[in-house]
Structure formats: structure tokens, C-alpha cells
Amino acid sequence: MDRARWAELAPSAGLPVSEADLVRLRGLGEPLDAREVADVYVPLSRLLNLYATATRSLQQETSAFLGERESKVPFVIGIAGSVAVGKSTVARLLRELLSRWESTPRVELVTTDGFLLPNAELQRRGLMDRKGFPESYDRRSLLRFLSRVKSGVEEVRAPFYSHLSYDIVPTGEIVVRQPDVLLVEGLNVLQPPTVGGRLAVSDLFDFGIYVDARTSHIAAWYEERFLRLQQGAFADPKSYFHRYADLTETEARAKARSIWTEINEPNLLQNILPTRSRASLVLRKSADHSVRSVLLRKL
């Protein structure tokens, strides 16, 4: 569906989002505005709310049929896409909107960054230049985490990742306590099982979203985001990327293009983009970051 047709699906009673909310939710360099939220994300949040509510009803009926004690099982949504495509903003926005629907008030968000192998282990394996590729994750830990969530365990803990230190924080953790909806955001979350593997992370999702755009557009967004970070977060001496803080604009652009060409683009083309067809829904973006169409896999 093109954007205009999709926007017609928005509930008559929209979910108000203030400018303060937008400032808090939008990603670096992403021109998210109230119209985009109303046209694209309000109808999407309602669709997901309907899926979550219907799935819960089916779970209750199934438990009754089997004569089992009912346990609360979160509706799990996977959100995939390239670096710099805006999937983190989509995840934050959906968490905000879904929590405003009466039947899904408790929504939590976990990113797969927390399941990256620690930098020391990546260095030991020679994988620091492949950070974000499938082999750089502790997939067993991620599978165990999601399996416990889907089994209705009351409290499940996940590792915490710092974008400042660019590493796992040994003393940090994220605690998930039986939410109505759990959003799992990451580059490779929609991948199928590995060769010889019996279970993939995506097998534990109830719904999958892929944030899509032309590769050339994403490359441009990555470069602009790198420059904003170079002028902001990289200035912190504690930042892993502090060594880039004093680059000239020309040098910074060259470094961004180098990182994109050598790491992020190959990961996108080899591992991330091939999973697009596995998504339940695809958000296709234009060059200005706005969503221009929505592809929905019908039941």
C-alpha cells in the first residue's frame, strides 16, 4: 500500500504525540514529525495491537483446551534493518504508541546489541572488523533469553550494551518482566536458522518488521550521522570513537565512507537484506527518511 492508502487506516481517535515526545524519540538526523507518526505509525501500532490481543486470546483458549494453567506470554515483535536506516527510532516509537492502547499497556524494548560478544572476545576471534555480522553475536544467549520470555518466565535478564564504550557493560543488565509486548530490535534478527541449526531467533517472533530503503540512501544517511556523532558524542574522551573527534569534515566523510564500504554495506548485502522477505511487514523509506509505502504479508 502506498502511504496515502495506509494513512486512511489510522483510527479516528488518533494517539496524540507531543513535540517533546518526538524530540525524545527521533534518531540522530531523522526528520520525524507528527504527520509521519499519524500517517504511518499510528495505524501500524493499531494493527500490532490487534495482533497481540488476538494472539493472547488464542493462547487463553488453547490453555483451556489443554487443561493447562494459563501463563502470560508476551507478543514478540522483531525489527530488522541496516545500520542508519532508522530501525531504532521505529522501535522506540512503537513502544510509545503500543503502550497507549488499552490492551497492551506494558511494552518493553530490547536491542540485540546486548548480545554482541564482548570486545575482548571479538578481538581474540579476529572479529572486531565484523562487529554486527551474525558471527559477532552470542546467538545461544539470545535464543535462551527469548525462549524464557516466550515460556512466560516472570523475570528474564539481558546484557546491557554501551554505545559510548562500544562494549558490553559487565555490571549492567536489562530486566524484562512479562510485558504485554516485547520489541526486539537488531540488524540480523530475521535470519533463518544456521546450517545444522534447529532454531532461529526469528522462530520466536510473533511478527517481523523490516525497515527498508535504497542502499545509496542508507549510505548517505550513515555518512551524515557519522558527522553528527563526530561533532557530538565522539568528543567525549570516554567514547570508543574519540580518536575521530579531531578529524576535519573531509577526513570524517572519508572515514565514514570507508567504514560503510568495508563493513556496513557488505553486512547489509550479505546478511540483512536477504531477510527482508521473511518479514511480516516492510516499511519502505524515501530519500528524506519518510515512509513512502507499506508491504504487509496477509494472514
Side-chain angles (χ1 to χ4, degrees):
M1 287 177 272
D2 62 26
R3 176 165 168 160
R5 184 182 171 199
W6 177 259
E8 292 174 356
L9 305 177
S12 56
L15 303 178
V17 177
S18 68
E19 183 58 34
D21 290 330
L22 292 175
V23 170
R24 174 170 52 87
L25 296 169
R26 74 168 57 102
L28 196 63
E30 293 180 46
L32 180 69
D33 58 26
R35 174 51 55 193
E36 179 90 351
V37 173
D39 285 355
V40 178
Y41 297 103
V42 169
L44 176 54
S45 73
R46 179 53 175 159
L47 178 68
L48 293 171
N49 169 261
L50 291 172
Y51 270 70
T53 303
T55 300
R56 185 185 308 148
S57 177
L58 176 60
Q59 290 166 351
Q60 292 169 345
E61 294 290 342
T62 302
S63 295
F65 174 75
L66 296 173
E68 296 177 344
R69 180 182 176 184
E70 181 190 341
S71 61
K72 183 176 180 180
V73 180
F75 185 83
V76 181
I77 302 168
I79 303 175
S82 171
V83 168
V85 80
K87 63 185 180 302
S88 297
T89 298
V90 171
R92 290 192 297 268
L93 186 52
L94 287 177
R95 177 178 58 182
E96 183 81 14
L97 294 176
L98 278 166
S99 66
R100 300 186 183 195
W101 293 106
E102 185 176 350
S103 58
T104 53
R106 297 185 64 244
V107 184
E108 296 193 35
L109 169 62
V110 169
T111 73
T112 58
D113 290 344
F115 294 92
L116 283 161
L117 294 168
N119 285 354
E121 180 62 18
L122 290 172
Q123 289 168 348
R124 188 185 72 82
R125 299 186 188 188
L127 293 175
M128 275 302 289
D129 288 339
R130 293 181 69 82
K131 196 167 186 176
F133 283 67
E135 61 268 28
S136 66
Y137 292 89
D138 185 345
R139 285 176 282 190
R140 288 185 179 179
S141 292
L142 180 54
L143 275 170
R144 282 197 298 269
F145 168 79
L146 284 175
S147 295
R148 287 171 60 80
V149 170
K150 291 291 286 185
S151 297
V153 175
E154 290 186 9
E155 188 173 279
V156 187
R157 299 171 187 272
F160 179 76
Y161 183 85
S162 168
H163 287 275
L164 182 67
S165 65
Y166 196 58
D167 202 357
I168 302 296
V169 179
T171 57
E173 62 181 9
I174 296 171
V175 182
V176 174
R177 298 183 177 90
Q178 290 188 316
D180 300 302
V181 177
L182 175 65
L183 299 162
V184 181
E185 178 252 309
L187 299 171
N188 295 292
V189 295
L190 294 180
Q191 283 207 317
T194 56
V195 177
R198 292 180 295 177
L199 188 68
V201 170
S202 57
D203 292 329
L204 299 172
F205 293 156
D206 297 290
F207 198 95
I209 296 172
Y210 187 93
V211 185
D212 192 28
R214 289 182 181 274
T215 302
S216 58
H217 294 162
I218 305 174
W221 299 339
Y222 178 80
E223 185 174 321
E224 292 305 318
R225 190 180 75 170
F226 187 93
L227 258 66
R228 288 184 174 90
L229 288 169
Q230 189 244 351
Q231 296 160 8
F234 292 176
D236 189 331
K238 296 179 181 178
S239 171
Y240 179 85
F241 296 102
H242 182 62
R243 59 188 180 278
Y244 299 142
D246 295 328
L247 296 179
T248 66
E249 180 177 338
T250 300
E251 292 170 336
R253 288 189 181 277
K255 173 54 67 174
R257 286 193 290 269
S258 172
I259 295 172
W260 173 261
T261 302
E262 296 173 12
I263 300 174
N264 293 320
E265 186 176 33
N267 194 18
L268 170 61
L269 298 180
Q270 296 168 21
N271 302 305
I272 304 169
L273 188 57
T275 70
R276 181 176 57 188
S277 62
R278 295 172 54 81
S280 312
L281 180 140
V282 177
L283 296 172
R284 282 190 170 162
K285 287 188 168 189
S286 300
D288 64 356
H289 253 297
S290 65
V291 174
R292 60 180 173 85
S293 63
V294 179
L295 287 79
L296 173 65
R297 185 189 303 278
K298 291 185 179 180
L299 288 174

